[in-house]
Amino acid sequence: MTNYIFNNNQGMEYTRDKTRFTVWAPTRDSIDLLLYNDYRYVRREKYRMTRVEGGFFETVVTGDLKGKFYTYLVNGKYEVTDPYSIACSINSKRSAIIDIRETDPSGFREQNVPFNPWKKALLYEVHIKDFSGDISSGTQHRGKFLGLIDEKSHFREAETGIRHLKDLGITHVHLMPIYDFLSVDEHEEYFFDDNNYNWGYDPELYNCIEGSYSTQPLEPANRIYEFKKMIQRLHSEGLSVVMDVVFNHTFRSHDSNFNILNPGYYFRMDQNNAFCNGSGCGNELASERKMVQNFIVDSLKYYMKEYKINGFRFDLMALIDKKTVYRIVKELREINPEVIIYGEPWYACDSGLHYGELTVMGTQRGKEFSFFNDRFRDALKGDNDAGGLGYVQGAYHLKTEIETGISGSIDFDEYHSGFALEAKESINYFNSHDNLIIYDKLKMTMDYEWVEPASRMLASIIYMSLGIPFIHSGNEFLRGKNLEYNSYNLALDINGIDWGKKYKNTSHYEYYKELIQFRKDHPVFDVSDPEEIREKLCFYDKLPMELIGYTLKTDNGYLMIFHNAGKIRYQLEYNRIQEHFVFYHLGGISPEEITLSFDERGRVSEELKDIDNFEIGPLTTVVYSINKQY
């Protein structure tokens, strides 16, 4: 058996009888293959590689090389790993030779991959080490791939691990970087050191799995096996897996394997031959160039075919040129039409790519991928890291912006103009791993008594909006980070999830569960086509600025939704509701057709007690079901 064949057969192609090595280095005079019996050894065997058509060098070594390590010697003096490595030694020192089929858990090839349409996605962002690294997780595999799928882990009566994910009701688990990155020491004895933590947005070997999340990081095949086992277990519970990818920059610049093999090609350079820095991390990959584009597409397809990944989130997606993104979408959808593809429509600093080629907000219109909706995010809760206020903290002038987000950020009408052609192009969220987590942001900007109600209000708005809702792990039980707004390299004391918060804030967690199930119970929230949205969605006008009201036409009637961002109880007269239905839906409603179906308790089913006034508590969402067809 061989590994997955990359474009132009690049990388290592293993069989028991021989192994082929191919690398692209068109501007180099000579490339030698160096073979090591152990990644720690200095002694090695050297094989001269042959230059072939297209700027490639290749060689075939006979015999069974499984278990050995290799590098490339460039022009007799620069030794680098293989950019197309599919396995590596600890801490990325050497590329590894493995039989990829031997890394499959039992039944992995035959497993049923869940069918979760991307427009119905309920996204949940997870950092592997955060999720089970704290002792409160109750797992013996703290901070590891296997810790996430521990069947028995819990904190007191609160479930952790995979049972938490399943119970919550989300559909897609978004994994922060799990490819090989350089900013942590993978040796097991350093795993819990306070200074040995990173989110992982500093890629080294894109097609290798990060070793620190393995229980045996010294074994190149083990990290692959345990990652596949985690994916297989998530799939068995009906959960799709999204992989966070960082194709905008690499951790190394001058000394990266890309740059050593072909100087100046893989990275954008300025007029002074210095690295462009649109990423803010020292360089930016030149995705617009053929072989860089091929590498990106190859890598993504490899993860889909070899690991059965169901979607990708792109870090600083704006820095990947539009043509490459459109090719990515086309080729990945040929493999899986329901693959979910989304990213950040921004960049950190001035880019070396012409602005017209950047994949910024608006370039996704009708192109079958999505963007994080920062306009909706900021309107909901204010700026990311300071004291700026959003709608839930009292900036009621942002009401129209909130309504635009609720509509899926399409061009809904003359008052509500968005960036999306279809609602599924909008990822609706209030925080991700970046910046202040929402609990800390609300603590900074509100009296403490309003923090939990405001957090619930934010969740209810994004789950009752058109578009794709996204939450960061721990939002569902008021996880905080001690007001740290950029915790990318801070200790587990800050980043690790304290599952005692779930035990303490059970009612908050249950509210999230009820929200998610309510959304699943009402497929109208999955509507994406703009014409259908305009036909089904209608906003109440003439309401006070702190109150948003709208109706959604369902198969059985209507949902009537109110979000009260004010700090006083609001009473809405029955006559106002009648006027709305008569004017917008061409008919009135009677009290017996109205049921209270969601309030601060979550899902309910109660007949109206007072038809003269509808009460909506402060910082509360209330939903009524109208059993009426017109």
Side-chain angles (χ1 to χ4, degrees), residues 13 22 34 109 158 264 291 359 370 474 486 505 620:
E13 182 184 357
T22 306
L34 303 180
R109 293 289 132 192
M291 296 302 284
T359 308
S370 309
N486 190 21
N505 299 312
T620 299

Side-chain angles (χ1 to χ4, degrees), residues 388-405:
L389 305 181
Y391 188 71
V392 300
Q393 298 114 317
Y396 303 133
H397 66 282
L398 295 169
K399 176 177 178 175
T400 301
E401 191 69 48
I402 300 298
E403 290 177 335
T404 301

Side-chain angles (χ1 to χ4, degrees), residues 11-295:
M12 176 274 303
E13 182 184 357
Y14 166 82
T15 67
R16 292 182 180 179
D17 300 324
K18 62 183 180 181
T19 303
R20 179 185 299 275
F21 301 88
T22 306
V23 64
W24 189 66
T27 62
R28 292 306 196 178
D29 297 325
S30 68
I31 305 289
D32 294 306
L33 170 72
L34 303 180
L35 279 183
Y36 296 83
N37 288 329
D38 189 297
Y39 79 95
R40 296 165 293 188
Y41 289 3
V42 175
R43 293 181 180 177
R44 70 276 178 104
E45 299 176 66
K46 184 165 68 172
Y47 298 84
R48 177 55 58 97
M49 302 182 75
T50 302
R51 182 188 290 275
V52 296
E53 185 179 355
F56 295 94
F57 288 81
E58 68 177 26
T59 191
V60 176
V61 181
T62 58
D64 191 347
L65 303 184
K66 185 176 66 176
K68 295 181 182 291
F69 299 85
Y70 73 101
T71 56
Y72 295 127
L73 184 64
V74 181
N75 282 6
K77 58 179 179 179
Y78 305 109
E79 187 175 358
V80 296
T81 52
D82 182 358
Y84 272 85
S85 302
I86 61 170
C88 62
S89 72
I90 196 167
N91 289 334
S92 322
K93 297 293 186 182
R94 310 263 191 256
S95 301
I97 302 171
I98 65 167
D99 184 343
I100 193 69
R101 288 288 72 78
E102 293 181 354
T103 66
D104 289 350
S106 177
F108 185 78
R109 293 289 132 192
E110 299 75 34
Q111 66 176 291
N112 292 320
V113 177
F115 178 78
N116 290 314
W118 67 286
K119 75 174 185 177
K120 295 178 178 286
L122 305 172
L123 296 164
Y124 185 87
E125 184 183 41
V126 170
H127 184 274
I128 295 294
K129 194 169 183 177
D130 288 2
F131 197 66
S132 63
D134 189 83
I135 196 169
S136 63
S137 68
T139 178
Q140 63 175 323
H141 301 299
R142 291 171 53 202
K144 306 292 187 178
F145 293 132
L146 298 184
L148 187 143
I149 57 171
D150 191 326
E151 301 285 350
K152 299 179 181 179
S153 62
H154 64 279
F155 178 84
R156 297 184 182 177
E157 289 80 28
E159 293 179 331
T160 67
I162 191 171
R163 292 190 299 170
H164 171 79
L165 299 174
K166 181 64 176 175
D167 183 61
L168 182 59
I170 48 93
T171 63
H172 288 67
V173 180
H174 164 150
L175 301 174
M176 291 169 64
I178 52 79
Y179 56 73
D180 175 66
F181 53 86
L182 273 183
S183 50
V184 300
D185 190 323
E186 294 179 343
H187 286 93
E188 188 66 19
E189 60 265 34
Y190 303 126
F191 186 65
F192 288 110
D193 285 5
D194 285 349
N195 62 353
N196 197 37
Y197 175 95
N198 206 280
W199 285 340
Y201 293 92
D202 46 9
E204 174 68 359
L205 295 172
Y206 283 96
N207 300 321
C208 297
I209 303 301
E210 170 59 22
S212 65
Y213 300 145
S214 162
T215 62
Q216 301 176 47
L218 289 169
E219 299 296 328
N222 177 265
R223 60 184 72 183
I224 299 174
Y225 170 80
E226 292 184 352
F227 180 54
K228 286 181 175 179
K229 189 172 183 179
M230 182 189 72
I231 293 171
Q232 184 179 17
R233 185 69 190 90
L234 289 169
H235 282 172
S236 72
E237 291 291 356
L239 297 168
S240 296
V241 179
V242 176
M243 182 177 167
D244 207 325
V245 290
V246 185
F247 289 113
N248 61 80
H249 77 280
T250 59
F251 183 76
R252 303 180 194 265
S253 296
H254 290 282
D255 59 343
S256 75
N257 49 17
F258 286 124
N259 199 57
I260 295 297
L261 287 164
N262 194 1
Y265 179 85
Y266 283 92
F267 299 92
R268 296 176 187 136
M269 314 297 284
D270 65 18
Q271 63 271 23
N272 299 316
N273 205 33
F275 286 84
C276 296
N277 190 27
S279 67
C281 299
N283 62 68
E284 53 183 285
L285 282 173
S287 61
E288 67 278 12
R289 295 174 184 162
K290 178 182 177 181
M291 296 302 284
V292 186
Q293 184 185 97
N294 284 347
F295 178 85

Side-chain angles (χ1 to χ4, degrees), residues 157 245 248 263 288 354 369-370 385 405 407 446 452 471 473 520 528:
E157 289 80 28
V245 290
N248 61 80
E288 67 278 12
H354 187 274
F369 67 97
S370 309
D385 300 324
S407 74
M446 306 184 78
E452 183 170 357
I471 59 171
S473 51
K520 287 181 173 180
S528 184

Side-chain angles (χ1 to χ4, degrees), residues 558-572:
Y558 297 85
L559 293 178
M560 183 169 61
I561 303 171
F562 296 103
H563 303 295
N564 179 12
K567 294 181 180 178
I568 60 173
R569 185 171 298 276
Y570 188 80
Q571 290 188 333
L572 183 67

